[in-house]
Amino acid sequence: MRELTKAESEIMQFLWHKERAFVQEIIDEMPLPKPAYNTVSTIIRILEQKGVVGHEAFGRSHRYFPLVKKEEYTKGYMKNVLRNYFSNSPAQMVSFFTQQENLSVKELEDIKLLLENELSKKKEVKPSKKPKL
């Protein structure tokens, strides 16, 4: 899946949140200064061409909806970031964020707890099934 532009991503955030929306509903949710109707409509048509948005027709109006789940897009996006900026190394990425983002002690402890929980899950020994004779 191709990476979304900043404008496309902003519109997708609204569609993921609302699940279905007309162009005017998206514009109404956007911060000031609001983009022109034609601008948003054009971006949505590009998103349709990329295969991430679909629509249902209501006469001459269209209500748009995401064809790709936010989690699915985020997973692909983050894999690209990991590959392109951190040599496919999650450790390098975590190291970068812990050093560059001026995290608080609480945030670092939260990250440590998340990592410890994941490590514990990976280390769990699952009981093996005995073959039936």
Side-chain angles (χ1 to χ4, degrees):
M1 175 181 323
R2 292 189 333 199
E3 190 173 317
L4 301 177
T5 66
K6 183 178 177 184
E8 292 166 348
S9 181
E10 185 177 0
I11 288 173
M12 285 305 296
Q13 294 297 330
F14 289 109
L15 286 175
W16 283 321
H17 175 72
K18 294 191 67 82
E19 296 180 2
R20 296 182 179 278
F22 292 96
V23 171
Q24 190 59 55
E25 291 175 317
I26 294 169
I27 293 169
D28 290 345
E29 294 285 324
M30 297 179 96
L32 295 173
K34 297 194 183 285
Y37 184 96
N38 287 343
T39 301
V40 174
S41 183
T42 298
I43 294 169
I44 289 176
R45 283 195 301 276
I46 292 168
L47 289 167
E48 278 191 293
Q49 291 170 357
K50 287 185 173 184
V52 295
V53 169
H55 76 268
E56 50 192 348
F58 292 91
R60 294 178 58 193
S61 295
H62 294 94
R63 184 167 62 178
Y64 298 93
F65 54 90
L67 294 174
V68 175
K69 292 181 179 172
K70 184 176 184 177
E71 295 77 21
E72 181 183 339
Y73 177 76
T74 303
K75 184 178 179 181
Y77 179 82
M78 291 308 296
K79 279 185 177 183
N80 285 337
V81 168
L82 189 63
R83 182 178 61 247
N84 294 330
Y85 297 97
F86 300 102
S87 305
N88 257 351
S89 170
Q92 280 185 20
M93 186 168 78
V94 170
S95 174
F96 172 82
F97 284 108
T98 57
Q99 292 173 11
Q100 299 298 318
E101 294 302 314
N102 197 22
L103 300 174
S104 69
V105 171
K106 167 120 176 56
E107 289 169 321
L108 289 168
E109 287 173 345
D110 290 345
I111 291 169
K112 180 181 174 190
L113 184 60
L114 287 169
L115 292 171
E116 287 172 347
N117 287 339
E118 283 302 311
L119 189 58
S120 175
K121 287 180 194 175
K122 300 274 182 181
K123 286 183 174 180
E124 280 182 8
V125 178
K126 297 179 182 175
S128 61
K129 294 181 181 178
K130 293 183 180 178
K132 293 182 181 178
L133 300 175

